[in-house]
Amino acid sequence: EAQVTQNPRYLITVTGKKLTVTCSQNMNHEYMSWYRQDPGLGLRQIYYSMNVEVTDKGDVPEGYKVSRKEKRNFPLILESPSPNQTSLYFCASSITGQLYEQYFGPGTRLTVT
Amino acid sequence: ELKVEQNPLFLSMQEGKNYTIYCNYSTTSDRLYWYRQDPGKSLESLFVLLSNGAVKQEGRLMASLDTKARLSTLHITAAVHDLSATYFCAVDTPLIKAAGNKLTFGGGTRVLVKP
């Protein structure tokens, strides 16, 4: 079954404690992306990756890092989380140029206290 | 910077009546998508609109795209409780610095259908 998986699904952490949210897809997609969802703001892109070792900033990259060492994985790293990063995070993947067939992960709800 | 505005942000519907959600965007694009999100769930693709004048229908939902007006509408006919969800539009535009595209989402419209 084609899918995008994220872990953990829920996370409560404290300010400054480094964390990683993993994302994995099994469709051999080149394009992967991270979004955060906040009420009234829709989804905003944090980072995207066109392929292995190729990543770039989206609209709200501050406070986040990513890496793409393997095609299937695209982890999101928060080196020093702050309360304003409390949000719902989605990973997504697609064939490059075919965003109309973008697959979204189930989401990770992060709370930073 | 591309802006995508949905309105209304919240829509309380009565069963059996018709409603429209609007999605306005600020730059040229002929690709727009609609998604549905149920509480606690991920996004589900509803419609893919790939050209000016495109119209897609599925059940009680119909989406259209007017690229000249930079406007898409999602029309709900005879609302039913099962349609309660949050609806997002997203505009597909080329990346500035690299080959490829990106999606810019509207703020979402939370729909609640009451009996």
Side-chain angles (χ1 to χ4, degrees), chain A residues 36 46-47 60-66 76-78 85 89:
Chain A
R36 62 177 288 173
I46 303 170
Y47 269 92
V60 288
E62 295 78 19
Y64 304 94
K65 286 175 57 178
V66 292
L76 179 70
I77 303 157
L78 285 72
Q85 293 178 298
Y89 292 86

Side-chain angles (χ1 to χ4, degrees), chain A residues 51-102:
Chain A
N51 213 325
V52 175
E53 302 295 356
V54 181
T55 65
D56 206 349
K57 297 176 181 178
D59 297 319
V60 288
E62 295 78 19
Y64 304 94
K65 286 175 57 178
V66 292
S67 70
R68 188 94 181 270
K69 292 185 171 58
E70 304 168 282
K71 198 171 188 179
R72 63 183 293 123
N73 297 323
F74 190 43
L76 179 70
I77 303 157
L78 285 72
E79 294 267 1
S80 183
S82 62
N84 65 12
Q85 293 178 298
T86 292
S87 188
L88 179 59
Y89 292 86
F90 288 100
C91 180
S93 76
S94 70
I95 296 172
T96 298
Q98 294 187 12
L99 294 183
Y100 50 84
E101 290 186 343
Q102 186 161 200

Side-chain angles (χ1 to χ4, degrees), chain A residues 9-10 31 35 37 40-43 45 48 50 56 58-59 88 90 96-100 102 104-107, chain B residues 9 31 33 35 37 40-43 45 48 50 88 92 95 97-108:
Chain A
R9 294 289 314 281
Y10 303 91
Y31 185 91
Y35 298 91
Q37 181 182 355
L41 299 177
L43 278 73
Q45 191 178 54
Y48 65 92
M50 304 295 285
D56 206 349
D59 297 319
L88 179 59
F90 288 100
T96 298
Q98 294 187 12
L99 294 183
Y100 50 84
Q102 186 161 200
F104 287 88
Chain B
L9 295 183
R31 293 186 170 198
Y33 316 133
Y35 297 89
Q37 185 183 39
K41 302 291 186 182
S42 189
L43 277 74
S45 178
V48 174
L50 298 178
F88 293 95
D92 188 340
L95 292 168
K97 294 185 291 182
N101 291 52
K102 67 173 287 187
L103 291 186
T104 304
F105 284 81

